[in-house]
Amino acid sequence: MADLVVATALRIERFALRRGLRGVPVIAVGMGVRHPSRLALPPGAALVVAGVAGALVDGLAPGDLVVDDRELALSLRGNGFTVHHGVVADSDHVVGSAERSELAARTGALAVDMESAGVLALAGDRPHAVVRAIVDTPSRPLLGPATLGGGITALRRLAAIGPVLRHWADTKVKEVRQ
């Protein structure tokens, strides 16, 4: 039985994450969780929702990670990644520059995506976490010349975090089984 399942939105995110997670199910559920039926969750497995996101606040850079689970954030930071522990807001659309500050103020979130909330609604009481690599920021909007570089940086970061995700899941699943 797998101790970890990783859900992502896009196939390119899935490709990046699978590079560091051989043997772990990495499932693309589509933007906005268009295909929830693809998400097969074995009993007892931990769930990580991972992929790219947009920063809502200044101080985050492309490739930085936003993680909602404190233990996982500390573990990633201890392995040399730039990590911000905090909330990832949910949106049903790509958030433009004008909306970022309002969404951050209303939710207290550091980043925004379109899938995490929908996937986590399927998690039940299993261990779960959200890990998002930043592509765009308030000063580097998604529809700009820096997007390609930010995207490549974020995908490389996702490809590198696999061993830490696996260790976190193993620890969490053992805690639940005890």
Side-chain angles (χ1 to χ4, degrees), residues 15 17 21-22 40-42 45 51 54 61 65 77 90 95 100 104 108 119-120 146 151 160 164 170-171:
F15 176 78
L17 285 154
L21 287 168
R22 303 260 187 249
L41 296 172
L65 300 172
R77 193 174 293 139
D90 180 50
V95 175
R100 288 179 196 251
V119 173
L120 291 181
V164 181
D170 289 345
T171 302

Side-chain angles (χ1 to χ4, degrees), residues 106-170:
R106 184 168 41 84
T107 65
L110 301 177
V112 62
D113 73 18
M114 297 170 61
E115 297 76 34
S116 295
V119 173
L120 291 181
L122 306 172
D125 61 355
R126 74 185 64 246
H128 59 273
V130 175
V131 178
R132 290 295 178 166
I134 297 301
V135 171
D136 57 303
T137 68
S139 62
R140 292 173 57 139
L142 184 61
L143 301 175
T147 300
L148 181 59
I152 290 169
T153 300
L155 292 170
R156 284 184 178 153
R157 198 74 70 238
L158 291 174
I161 64 173
V164 181
L165 296 183
R166 189 185 302 265
H167 176 73
W168 172 85
D170 289 345

